[in-house]
């Protein structure tokens, strides 16, 4: 073959290769580039939608219990239910193929023969269960989704387990029950014999489980117990910030998150669409470990008493906001804390922040206890030191400074103890000026030695506990003298209560605690013991003097509204001006407070009450805050506190009883007191007492009298209201204690809607009727 022919063949082959390259390879490359660049995002999204991967399984969050065993916060599973109303694509069996290209078949997830006859029935069932839409609205919604072939049709969100189980029986949603054909020769019922099996969802139904946090007591101590806070990160125009929703908890729920959250698990899930993932199978790759439980120091009984007392005071005085804290003296356990702020006239008072732990304020006269302790503990003077009252002009240390005068009520020249009792500003400033004027830093250091100006590091996520502040520049006479009676210093109510609690606790300052133990089931994992901040805030001699002065405030001074108690209260009133630095302000605003402890002989509880900007005629702590303190202390001592007393034996005196009332409350009260009674009827709501032949107290069913007014004397107002309103009365009442009289005589006829007024007061123990074995006669015998 000639050289020319060879070259022609090579050229022809090259042309063929180039032709093939142009026809086949280049389009393929172009398509690859097009898919990668132009259609890449779309195909990647589709791949994600059809992807199967290991996903996190949230653990069950632990429960927060109160000290009295009630649930304060817990997690419950809820379910979102969807149904696939689209079609499923799968390969046809070879037998069903009509041609080689006929390889796929489209199978509806819910057949038309199932959906159309039952959609109205399903709509009716859903409407009856959730009562959020009419059957017609549900029917229209489902039909529209059916027409669109939506593979992710929402049935309902946040469904409980009980509702979920019931939905398994609803038309369309439930799987057809498997049946067995009767065997040949079977003479039993010729109908199909149903298999006994639990109702189940059909394959098209998708159930998504979530855990939600609930607070059974709703707003009660909401910012102390804690709640979930949602966080959303927004994307900027350049897309630099990744959008991600997250959440966190505050309060106890936030601080003890590491114990409560548990450990996440993993399971294999398939993406149904952008937001919905469903498990591939029932087996988890890694099982989630549920969180541990914590026991809060909050006592729901005391918490309810504290909040109701505070709310009543705020409403009566039209105040902006207020707080009350009740602490156990020896341990520092916070048994009750309430923080209420006025939202508006329609919504009233709600807890929107933890005022007691986060709000710094100038305490006013409750700070005078610290001043007195510094003077006495440093041996500058004693309680007999004579001080002036009224108006006092203090000559400036610096001749170029202005004379600073302190104004007050005039009681003449009195002792420092009496000055403390009547809360005289002049009487407080005089010894401080005389003994510390030439060494003002010594006075400030004395205060810091007694009350450490530092965070308490509470076991509570409050968004950042503030550090107490004290004026550092004592050169101006105003700053120096103001500090003596509660200004030029900012602390929280909780920090000030910690100081008063130390006085009640024999001088030992303990840290306030909100959690007492961490549990796993019935087993205690960790006990949170009391934590001492300062072993001694002052000498024992000084402590006894201060305790006596605080008792004197209640017995003879500005807190005398608290004096008439059988157990004894010690404490200090406080009234501070809020906007005193604003010139030309015609309307002065005030903050009223009271801090102290009870009982005086063996203190069990310390408490502080702070009311901000009361707008009625009262502004002083002794007028506003002290009554809240007393109301709470009275109710605590009357219902919870176990005072040490000599109880006569049963031979000397009959054991206490209740004439009649709500059975549950009666039984719980006697169980707390350790008194055993005989209860013959476990089903009745109301019971009445009688004395049997062996002098035992027997409680039996109490039948409400029909058509006549019952005898309510001796009943608690709670039981009387429950009974009377159930009978159709419109009830009003006044006073405190038990029912001592009623506006309608017992036994007289009445009509539903009749008004009945009850008078409450202190009652003596009434005699119970003798047992005559007839419940209805108990009413006559009273």
């Amino acid at each position: 073959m000639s050289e020319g022919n060879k070259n022609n063949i090579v050229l022809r082959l090259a042309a063929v290769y180039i032709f093939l390259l142009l026809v086949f390879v280049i389009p393929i490359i172009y398509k690859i580039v097009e898919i990668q660049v132009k259609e890449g995002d779309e195909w990647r999204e589709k791949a994600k939608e059809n992807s199967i991967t290991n996903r996190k399984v949230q653990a069950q969050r632990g429960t927060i219990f109160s000290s009295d065993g009630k649930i304060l916060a817990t997690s419950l599973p809820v379910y979102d239910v969807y149904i696939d109303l689209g079609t499923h694509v799968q390969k046809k069996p070879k037998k069903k193929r009509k041609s080689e290209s006929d390889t796929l078949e489209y199978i509806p997830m819910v057949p038309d023969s199932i959906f159309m006859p039952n959609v109205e029935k399903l709509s009716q069932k859903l409407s009856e269960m959730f009562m959020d839409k009419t059957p017609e609205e549900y029917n229209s919604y489902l039909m529209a989704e059916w027409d669109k072939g939506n593979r992710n049709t929402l049935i309902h969100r946040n469904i409980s387990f009980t509702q979920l189980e019931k939905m398994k029986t609803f038309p369309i949603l439930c799987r057809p029950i498997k049946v067995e054909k009767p065997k040949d020769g079977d003479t039993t019922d010729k109908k199909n014999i149903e298999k006994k099996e639990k109702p189940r969802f059909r394959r098209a139904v998708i159930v998504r489980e979530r855990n939600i946090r609930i607070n059974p007591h709703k707003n009660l101590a909401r910012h102390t117990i804690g709640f979930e806070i949602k966080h959303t990160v927004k994307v900027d125009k350049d897309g630099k910030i990744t959008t991600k929703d997250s959440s966190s908890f505050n309060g106890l729920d936030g601080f003890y998150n590491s114990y409560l959250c548990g450990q996440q698990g993993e399971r294999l899930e398939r993406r149904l669409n952008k937001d919905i993932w469903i498990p591939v199978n029932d087996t988890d790759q890694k099982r989630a470990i549920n969180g541990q439980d914590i026991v809060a120091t909050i006592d729901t009984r005391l918490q309810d008493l504290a909040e109701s007392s505070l709310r009543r005071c705020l409403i009566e005085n039209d105040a902006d906001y207020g707080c009350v804290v009740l602490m156990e003296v020896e341990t520092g356990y916070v048994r009750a804390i309430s923080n209420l702020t006025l939202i508006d006239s329609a919504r009233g008072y709600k807890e929107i922040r933890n005022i007691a732990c986060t709000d710094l304020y100038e305490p006013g006269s409750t700070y005078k206890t610290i001043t007195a302790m510094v003077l006495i503990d440093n041996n500058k003077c004693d309680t007999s030191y004579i001080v002036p009252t009224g108006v006092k002009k203090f000559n400036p240390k610096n001749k170029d400074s202005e004379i600073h005068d302190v104004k007050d009520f005039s009681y003449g020249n009195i002792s420092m103890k009496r000055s403390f009792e009547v809360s005289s500003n002049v009487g407080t400033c005089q010894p401080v000026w005389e003994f510390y004027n030439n060494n003002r830093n010594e006075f400030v250091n004395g205060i810091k030695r007694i009350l450490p100006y530092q965070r308490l590091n509470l076991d509570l996520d409050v968004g950042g506990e503030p550090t107490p502040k004290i004026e550092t520049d004592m050169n101006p006479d105003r700053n120096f003298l103001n500090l003596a009676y509660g200004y030029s210093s900012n602390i929280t109510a909780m920090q000030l209560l910690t100081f008063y609690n130390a006085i009640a606790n024999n001088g030992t300052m303990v840290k306030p605690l909100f959690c007492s133990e961490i549990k796993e089931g019935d087993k205690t994992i960790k006990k949170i013991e009391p934590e001492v901040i300062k072993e001694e805030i002052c000498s024992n001699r000084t402590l006894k003097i201060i305790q006596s002065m605080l008792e004197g405030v209640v017995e003879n001074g500005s807190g005398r509204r608290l004096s008439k108690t059988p157990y004894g209260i010690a404490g200090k009133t406080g009234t501070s001006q809020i906007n005193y630095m604003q010139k030309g302000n015609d309307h002065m605003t005030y903050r009223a407070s009271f801090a102290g402890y009870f009982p005086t002989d063996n203190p069990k509880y310390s408490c502080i009450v702070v009311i901000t900007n009361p707008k009625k005629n009262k502004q002083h702590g002794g007028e506003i805050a002290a009554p809240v303190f007393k109301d709470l202390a009275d109710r605590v001592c009357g219902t919870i506190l176990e005072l040490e007393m000599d109880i006569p034996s049963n031979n000397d005196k009959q054991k206490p009883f209740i004439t009649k009332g709500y059975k549950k409350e009666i039984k719980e009260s006697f169980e707390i007191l350790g008194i055993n009674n005989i209860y013959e009827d476990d089903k009745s709501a109301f019971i009445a007492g009688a004395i049997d032949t062996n002098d035992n107290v027997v409680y039996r069913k109490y039948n409400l009298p029909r058509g006549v007014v019952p005898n309510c004397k001796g009943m608690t107002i709670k039981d009387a209201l429950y009974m009377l309103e159930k009978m159709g009365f419109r009830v009003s009442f006044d006073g405190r204690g038990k029912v001592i009289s009623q506006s309608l005589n017992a036994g007289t006829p009445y009509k539903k809607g009749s008004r009945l007024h009850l008078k409450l007061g202190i009652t003596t123990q009434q005699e119970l009727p003798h047992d005559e074995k007839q419940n209805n006669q108990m009413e006559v015998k009273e």
Side-chain angles (χ1 to χ4, degrees):
M1 184 179 291
S2 66
E3 190 69 28
N5 289 335
K6 288 182 180 179
N7 292 334
N8 289 333
I9 292 172
V10 171
L11 289 172
R12 288 173 184 174
L13 289 173
V16 170
Y17 285 132
I18 292 171
F19 174 77
L20 292 175
L21 182 65
L22 292 172
V23 173
F24 295 104
V25 178
I26 290 178
I28 291 173
I29 294 173
Y30 172 78
K31 192 63 179 177
I32 291 172
V33 172
E34 183 183 35
I35 291 173
Q36 287 287 335
V37 178
K38 187 176 179 180
E39 303 175 3
D41 292 340
E42 180 183 349
W43 285 105
R44 277 189 288 270
E45 189 63 30
K46 287 182 178 180
K48 285 183 180 178
E49 290 182 3
N50 296 314
S51 63
I52 295 176
T53 185
N54 277 328
R55 284 175 53 84
K56 299 293 184 183
V57 178
Q58 293 298 323
Q60 180 87 7
R61 194 171 180 83
T63 297
I64 301 177
F65 292 96
S66 67
S67 63
D68 55 324
K70 304 291 178 61
I71 293 177
L72 297 178
T74 190
S75 293
L76 291 179
V78 294
Y79 306 88
D80 300 338
V81 179
Y82 301 81
I83 187 168
D84 187 346
L85 296 179
T87 55
H88 172 63
V89 182
Q90 66 179 27
K91 288 186 177 181
K92 276 187 179 181
K94 290 184 178 180
K95 296 179 180 179
K96 293 184 178 181
R97 295 179 184 178
K98 296 179 180 180
S99 63
E100 292 184 3
S101 60
D102 185 21
T103 59
L104 300 177
E105 62 178 338
Y106 298 86
I107 302 173
M109 295 300 294
V110 179
D112 183 80
S113 59
I114 297 293
F115 183 82
M116 297 308 295
N118 293 297
V119 64
E120 290 186 2
K121 296 178 184 177
L122 175 60
S123 300
Q124 182 67 37
K125 292 282 187 181
L126 293 173
S127 180
E128 290 174 357
M129 174 178 283
F130 301 112
M131 295 185 294
D132 56 346
K133 297 178 183 177
T134 64
E136 291 76 17
E137 289 173 332
Y138 267 113
N139 188 70
S140 298
Y141 166 71
L142 292 172
M143 288 300 297
E145 297 297 303
W146 168 262
D147 292 338
K148 290 187 290 186
N150 192 347
R151 301 207 63 185
N152 186 35
T153 300
L154 175 66
I155 299 297
H156 214 282
R157 285 193 177 95
N158 297 332
I159 295 172
S160 69
F161 179 77
T162 304
Q163 291 173 322
L164 186 72
E165 289 297 302
K166 190 174 181 179
M167 285 179 68
K168 290 179 180 179
T169 64
F170 286 5
I172 300 177
L173 304 182
C174 64
R175 292 182 64 173
I177 297 175
K178 294 179 181 179
V179 297
E180 292 179 349
K181 294 182 179 179
K183 296 179 181 179
D184 295 338
D186 192 351
T187 58
T188 59
D189 191 354
K190 293 183 179 180
K191 293 183 178 180
N192 290 335
I193 302 170
E194 295 184 356
K195 258 191 172 183
K196 292 182 179 179
E197 62 177 19
K198 294 181 180 179
R200 290 184 293 170
F201 284 123
R202 66 170 58 249
R203 183 186 173 194
V205 177
I206 304 148
V207 179
R208 182 184 179 190
E209 181 180 347
R210 295 183 291 109
N211 286 325
I212 60 170
R213 200 68 167 164
I214 64 167
N215 295 64
H217 297 277
K218 296 183 179 178
N219 201 51
L220 198 74
R222 184 169 180 257
H223 280 260
T224 299
I225 299 165
F227 54 89
E228 189 172 9
I229 304 171
K230 300 289 185 181
H231 308 281
T232 301
V233 180
K234 295 183 178 180
V235 181
D236 62 10
K237 294 181 179 179
D238 299 329
K240 294 181 179 178
I241 302 175
T242 304
T243 302
K244 187 175 182 181
D245 293 335
S246 62
S247 64
S248 62
F249 291 86
N250 63 357
L252 280 165
D253 230 333
F255 188 88
Y256 290 96
N257 180 67
S258 59
Y259 295 99
L260 292 165
C261 69
Q263 297 180 22
Q264 291 180 332
E266 286 185 0
R267 69 182 173 199
L268 205 60
E269 294 185 356
R270 177 172 62 84
R271 185 193 292 272
L272 188 65
N273 63 20
K274 184 178 180 181
D275 298 317
I276 303 298
W277 291 77
I278 59 174
V280 173
N281 51 52
D282 295 333
T283 305
D284 291 346
Q285 306 298 316
K286 178 183 176 183
R287 185 172 295 277
I289 300 175
N290 292 338
Q292 296 168 333
D293 303 327
I294 68 170
V295 179
T297 59
I298 298 293
D299 187 310
T300 57
R301 299 165 296 181
L302 300 180
Q303 179 67 33
D304 186 57
L305 294 177
E307 187 158 315
S308 61
S309 296
L310 177 64
R311 187 182 300 276
R312 189 184 313 111
C313 173
L314 294 172
I315 293 172
E316 289 175 355
N317 295 282
D318 191 20
D320 286 353
Y321 55 89
C323 66
V324 56
V325 185
L326 184 72
M327 186 190 298
E328 196 171 85
V329 167
E330 188 175 357
T331 61
Y333 289 161
V334 177
R335 295 304 184 189
I337 176 172
S338 180
N339 306 272
L340 298 176
T341 301
L342 179 64
I343 307 299
D344 52 45
S345 58
R347 290 179 289 178
Y349 290 90
K350 302 291 183 183
E351 184 164 301
I352 61 174
R353 68 181 191 278
N354 202 320
I355 299 168
C357 300
T358 62
D359 284 23
L360 292 171
Y361 74 104
E362 292 178 307
S365 295
T366 49
Y367 198 85
K368 292 174 181 175
T369 308
I370 302 171
T371 301
M373 187 175 286
V374 171
L375 288 165
I376 296 171
D377 205 46
N378 289 343
N379 296 315
K380 298 297 183 181
C381 61
D382 57 25
T383 55
S384 62
Y385 177 80
I386 301 300
V387 296
T389 59
V391 178
K392 171 73 175 180
K393 294 184 182 294
F394 291 91
N395 294 321
K397 183 178 180 181
N398 187 344
K399 294 181 180 180
D400 297 331
S401 301
E402 296 180 359
I403 295 175
H404 183 64
D405 59 338
V406 179
K407 298 178 182 179
D408 205 352
F409 293 105
S410 178
Y411 300 95
N413 292 332
I414 55 178
S415 68
M416 193 180 83
K417 183 177 187 299
R418 182 57 183 162
S419 168
F420 184 82
E421 292 173 350
V422 298
S423 198
S424 170
N425 292 340
V426 175
T428 303
C429 290
Q430 176 60 37
V432 173
W433 181 267
E434 182 171 341
F435 298 112
Y436 289 106
N437 187 30
N438 294 325
N439 192 355
R440 298 183 179 186
N441 286 333
E442 183 185 356
F443 178 59
V444 175
N445 292 334
I447 290 174
K448 290 182 177 180
R449 180 176 54 81
I450 290 170
L451 179 65
Y453 272 73
Q454 60 190 26
R455 292 188 183 96
L456 293 169
N457 295 321
L458 302 170
D459 57 338
L460 205 65
D461 186 350
V462 293
E465 182 191 358
T467 303
K469 299 177 181 178
I470 189 169
E471 181 59 57
T472 56
D473 186 6
M474 285 290 112
N475 287 323
D477 297 334
R478 174 185 290 275
N479 291 350
F480 176 56
L481 292 172
N482 280 356
L483 181 62
Y485 59 97
Y487 297 88
S488 299
S489 174
N490 288 268
I491 56 177
T492 66
M494 185 65 74
Q495 290 158 355
L496 185 59
L497 176 61
T498 303
F499 165 72
Y500 275 89
N501 191 80
I503 298 174
N505 196 29
N506 295 320
T508 301
M509 183 179 287
V510 294
K511 174 183 174 180
L513 292 173
F514 290 88
C515 178
S516 58
E517 58 182 312
I518 297 161
K519 303 187 73 175
E520 189 171 319
D522 294 332
K523 183 181 178 182
T524 299
I525 303 300
K526 181 179 180 181
K527 187 76 175 175
I528 309 224
E529 302 292 344
E531 183 178 332
V532 176
I533 298 174
K534 196 174 181 64
E535 290 288 350
E536 292 182 349
I537 59 172
C538 63
S539 68
N540 189 58
R541 167 186 164 275
T542 301
L543 183 67
K544 297 300 181 185
I545 295 173
I546 294 296
Q547 288 173 341
S548 175
M549 292 172 70
L550 292 174
E551 292 175 23
V553 170
V554 175
E555 293 172 1
N556 310 306
S558 57
R560 54 187 174 276
R561 287 176 175 82
L562 294 82
S563 59
K564 296 180 180 179
T565 63
Y567 50 87
I569 293 173
K572 182 72 183 74
T573 59
T575 308
S576 60
Q577 296 177 351
I578 299 175
N579 56 345
Y580 65 92
M581 293 297 289
Q582 298 177 12
K583 296 182 179 180
N585 193 338
D586 296 331
H587 178 67
M588 187 65 70
T589 54
Y590 295 89
R591 182 176 283 112
S593 60
F594 186 91
Y597 54 86
F598 62 94
T600 51
D601 290 341
N602 185 20
K604 299 292 184 183
Y605 293 102
S606 61
C607 181
I608 188 169
V609 181
V610 182
I611 309 295
T612 300
N613 193 22
K615 302 180 187 67
K616 295 294 179 67
N617 295 327
K618 299 176 181 178
Q619 289 92 24
H620 299 285
E623 298 174 315
I624 300 176
V628 176
F629 188 107
K630 184 178 185 298
D631 183 44
L632 178 56
D634 283 345
R635 296 165 77 180
V636 169
C637 289
T639 57
I640 305 297
L641 190 60
E642 296 177 337
L643 297 174
E644 296 179 1
M645 61 180 79
D646 294 327
I647 301 176
S649 64
N650 289 337
N651 296 330
D652 300 329
K653 188 175 181 179
Q654 182 183 346
K655 63 184 180 181
F657 57 80
I658 298 175
T659 55
K660 61 177 173 287
Y662 190 46
K663 181 190 68 179
K664 182 181 177 182
E665 302 286 346
I666 291 175
K667 290 184 73 173
E668 288 181 354
S669 299
F670 283 128
E671 285 174 1
I672 291 173
L673 294 172
I675 297 174
N676 296 320
N677 293 315
I678 300 172
Y679 304 93
E680 293 191 353
D681 193 327
D682 290 334
K683 297 181 179 180
S684 58
F686 267 85
I687 54 177
I691 300 174
D692 65 9
T693 54
N694 296 322
D695 290 332
N696 294 320
V697 178
V698 181
Y699 286 96
R700 294 199 183 93
K701 180 179 180 181
Y702 174 67
N703 291 327
L704 299 179
R706 295 184 179 179
V708 296
V709 179
N711 184 0
C712 301
K713 292 181 180 179
M715 295 182 71
T716 64
I717 187 59
K718 184 177 180 181
D719 289 343
L721 281 174
Y722 181 87
M723 178 180 72
L724 293 171
E725 289 179 353
K726 190 173 183 181
M727 294 175 68
F729 285 97
R730 299 174 65 183
V731 186
S732 61
F733 65 92
D734 64 77
R736 293 182 184 175
K738 294 184 179 180
V739 179
I740 57 176
S741 65
Q742 56 191 70
S743 60
L744 299 178
N745 293 328
T748 58
Y750 78 99
K751 294 180 179 180
K752 283 192 175 182
S754 299
R755 292 183 178 275
L756 179 58
H757 184 79
L758 303 177
K759 181 73 175 177
L760 309 181
I762 305 300
T763 62
T764 56
Q765 185 85 316
Q766 298 178 340
E767 289 188 5
L768 283 178
H770 290 287
D771 189 2
E772 300 195 15
K773 296 294 182 181
Q774 293 184 16
N775 294 327
N776 291 333
Q777 291 186 8
M778 291 183 181
E779 178 67 25
V780 179
K781 289 285 184 179
E782 286 179 340

